[in-house]
Amino acid sequence: MSLKLLKPITLADKQLFQKFLQQSNYPISEYTFPNLYIWRNYYNFQWIVYNETLLLFQKTPNDGLIAFPPLASSMKVAYQTLMRYFNDNDLAPEIHRIPECALQILRELDLGGTIMEDRDNWDYIHEKIQLATLSGKKYQNIRKKLNKFEHRNNWKYEAISSENVEEIFDMQNEWCDFRSCSENASLNQENQGIIELLNNWNDFELMGGVIRIDGVIAAFTIGECLPKDWMVIHVEKGDVNFDGIYQAINYNFIKNIPNTILWVNREQDLGHESLREAKMRYHPDHFSKKYTYWK
């Protein structure tokens, strides 16, 4: 059975994954290699190239398989191949994080089953110019917080480099100690993922920035420039003892990303009410909607 050929994601798979990711060009935050790599253990990702299509699965504790969107040059062929794989292996089909652009394909295939919105995983999409200027009445409260931060603190912005990575580790450790990451599976995996990104900084095409207050790093963020004209923000951490720190790191980082970037994906809120409220205060231009299918 082809199930035996499934394998976990490793750093050596980067080039192959990037080829398929660029072919498919899904507008969702999950589908960048750094993101898949750092969450590979949490989701127990397994993959296979099957009939020239890269199939990605989450392996469940009972050895079931939940598919993520298939990757191939033709979206229709990709989903046909995925459904054939489910059928060949006598598996009930279930697909998570389906982008809106794939819904018509699923309907054309006339698969039956159920499709449901996955609001908790919708990505927040912003025009870069809006985040880089914060102009207009709708950003008034954010500007006020940012101005207070700038006037109350002796601060400085700088890019992430090999010279400040060790200090970022120190700040991340303090952030995790404060929030008891070791007692929360998701926060613990995110912490391990951040450490992996920083330890392998030169292996990923990433950008990042930090805010120093009185010379000490109090916030950092990590983003990734993607094909065409958009960026996804993977990480944003700040010391909440400094009011306005998140507004400061977001604003200063966006101001310093390449001019070719027109759109910024600030990822999902995962259904956390406070996070949803914070993200909505930035008034996204639109959402990259995702759905779940099962039969």
Side-chain angles (χ1 to χ4, degrees), residues 235-284:
V235 179
E236 194 174 81
K237 302 294 180 186
D239 184 341
V240 293
N241 291 308
F242 299 101
D243 191 29
I245 189 68
Y246 278 97
Q247 288 77 11
I249 188 61
N250 180 269
Y251 174 68
N252 283 279
F253 178 63
I254 297 300
K255 281 202 310 178
N256 284 278
I257 64 178
N259 292 331
T260 53
I261 299 300
L262 301 180
W263 297 96
V264 177
N265 183 326
R266 300 196 71 231
E267 295 194 340
Q268 59 272 80
D269 59 47
L270 300 175
H272 299 313
E273 185 177 350
S274 60
L275 185 56
R276 182 168 296 183
E277 290 175 357
K279 285 182 176 288
M280 288 302 295
R281 290 189 200 111
Y282 273 89
H283 304 282

Side-chain angles (χ1 to χ4, degrees), residues 37-59:
Y37 181 73
I38 66 176
W39 290 101
R40 68 194 186 283
N41 295 323
Y42 183 80
Y43 287 102
N44 195 9
F45 282 139
Q46 304 283 312
W47 67 277
I48 186 173
V49 174
Y50 187 76
N51 293 343
E52 300 183 0
T53 300
L54 194 153
L55 304 181
L56 179 68
F57 299 97
Q58 174 186 355
K59 192 172 184 180

